[in-house]
């Protein structure tokens, strides 16, 4: 087989795998709903709540379970026209350290995931994206939270004139890295890994191929 034929076959295989992943991730038949019986208690915070409910599982077992009830979130992998990656170094109070993270945010009431991330990317990076692609949905902590994060690839970026503000509780440094630099940071062990960021970067590279 000549080189062009081999490349064509590899491209077809990549497309087939990608379509399978999206089909698998969107298969609603894989979801087996638990049956809600009664709410035992609830503690509300600014963005989410902690509930203890009596639930019957799909296997018939019934008990009290505590979990974080979350409105959902969205995340973007911003890639510039010259294939640079925009990422944040952000302080997280719960772990008392800075983490490398792609811009992300919690959905406001009545807000769609794409509208949320379009707002967040401007507030946190100072860039606006014109081209958006879906990268699937991530469930980051299914053992104790119902949060789902919608992942997006953001391209065709333009710099905004306004200064990056962010929220009052956000301590953020905007970094612009070569893809290899980001790969090296992830694999070095010098950075605490943020699970949603590593997953989103893996999905973005599957979508784009080699950067």
């Amino acid at each position: 087989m000549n080189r062009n034929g081999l490349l064509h076959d590899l491209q077809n295989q990549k497309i087939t795998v990608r379509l399978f992943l999206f089909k698998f991730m969107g298969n609603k038949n894989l979801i087996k709903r638990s049956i809600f019986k009664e709410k035992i208690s609830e503690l509300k915070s600014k963005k989410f709540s902690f509930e203890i409910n009596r639930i019957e599982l799909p296997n018939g077992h019934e008990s009290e379970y505590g979990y974080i009830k979350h409105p959902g979130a969205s995340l973007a992998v911003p890639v510039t026209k010259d294939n640079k990656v925009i990422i944040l170094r952000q302080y997280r109070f719960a772990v008392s350290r800075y983490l490398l993270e792609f811009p992300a945010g919690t959905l406001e009431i009545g807000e769609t995931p794409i509208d949320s991330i379009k707002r967040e990317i401007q507030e946190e990076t100072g860039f606006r994206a014109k081209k958006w692609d879906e990268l699937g949905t991530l469930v980051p902590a299914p053992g104790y939270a119902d949060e789902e994060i919608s992942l997006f690839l953001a391209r065709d970026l333009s710099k905004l004139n306004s200064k990056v503000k962010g929220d009052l509780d956000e301590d953020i440094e905007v970094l612009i890295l070569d893809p290899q630099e980001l790969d090296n940071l992830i694999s070095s062990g010098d950075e605490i890994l943020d699970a949603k960021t590593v997953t989103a970067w893996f999905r973005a590279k599957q979508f784009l191929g080699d950067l």
Side-chain angles (χ1 to χ4, degrees):
M1 180 182 295
N2 61 36
R3 185 172 181 271
N4 289 335
L6 177 60
L7 288 174
H8 180 73
D9 284 348
L10 289 173
Q11 287 176 336
N12 284 339
Q13 290 177 27
K14 182 179 289 187
I15 291 171
T16 300
V17 170
R18 187 182 299 161
L19 288 173
F20 172 78
L21 283 170
F22 276 108
K23 183 177 180 181
F24 178 81
M25 292 167 67
N27 190 346
K28 302 302 182 183
N29 292 328
L30 296 174
I31 300 175
K32 293 186 177 181
R33 299 291 184 187
S34 301
I35 300 174
F36 173 83
K37 296 294 185 175
E38 64 173 320
K39 181 180 291 186
I40 307 301
S41 63
E42 180 181 16
L43 176 63
K44 291 186 176 182
S45 68
K46 180 181 178 182
K47 293 185 177 181
F48 50 83
S49 62
F50 180 79
E51 294 185 4
I52 299 177
N53 298 324
R54 176 164 288 277
I55 293 173
E56 180 182 327
L57 302 179
N59 65 5
H61 178 74
E62 183 177 320
S63 187
E64 294 181 6
Y65 294 93
Y67 70 101
I68 295 170
K69 193 170 182 61
H70 197 283
S74 55
L75 173 150
V77 179
V79 179
T80 66
K81 294 177 182 178
D82 57 349
N83 288 336
K84 302 284 188 180
V85 185
I86 298 176
I87 196 166
L88 314 174
R89 181 172 277 116
Q90 182 169 356
Y91 185 79
R92 293 296 190 179
F93 73 90
V95 293
S96 300
R97 65 192 71 186
Y98 289 89
L99 303 179
L100 282 181
E101 301 183 41
F102 286 122
T106 302
L107 272 60
E108 303 289 348
I109 297 176
E111 194 174 41
T112 64
I114 186 63
D115 288 338
S116 174
I117 196 57
K118 284 181 177 180
R119 170 179 53 79
E120 290 288 349
I121 195 175
Q122 293 184 47
E123 293 176 356
E124 294 186 346
T125 72
F127 284 84
R128 177 188 288 115
K130 291 183 180 179
K131 186 173 182 180
W132 293 87
D133 296 287
E134 296 182 4
L135 297 177
T137 302
L138 168 67
V139 182
Y144 56 84
D146 68 352
E147 180 184 10
E148 294 187 0
I149 304 176
S150 298
L151 308 178
F152 295 92
L153 176 64
R155 290 182 285 176
D156 198 0
L157 305 181
S158 57
K159 189 80 169 66
L160 300 176
N161 294 325
S162 57
K163 186 179 179 181
V164 177
K165 294 182 179 179
D167 295 331
L168 292 176
D169 60 350
E170 290 180 331
D171 181 356
I172 293 174
E173 177 187 4
V174 179
L175 306 176
I176 302 178
L177 305 176
D178 290 319
Q180 189 59 54
E181 287 181 291
L182 179 54
D183 284 339
N184 291 341
L185 281 173
I186 291 173
S187 61
S188 68
D190 295 332
E191 299 279 350
I192 302 298
L193 299 184
D194 172 59
K196 67 183 186 299
T197 293
V198 175
T199 302
W201 180 229
F202 176 76
R203 288 292 294 122
K205 292 176 73 174
Q206 284 182 316
F207 188 92
L208 293 171
D210 294 332
L211 289 175

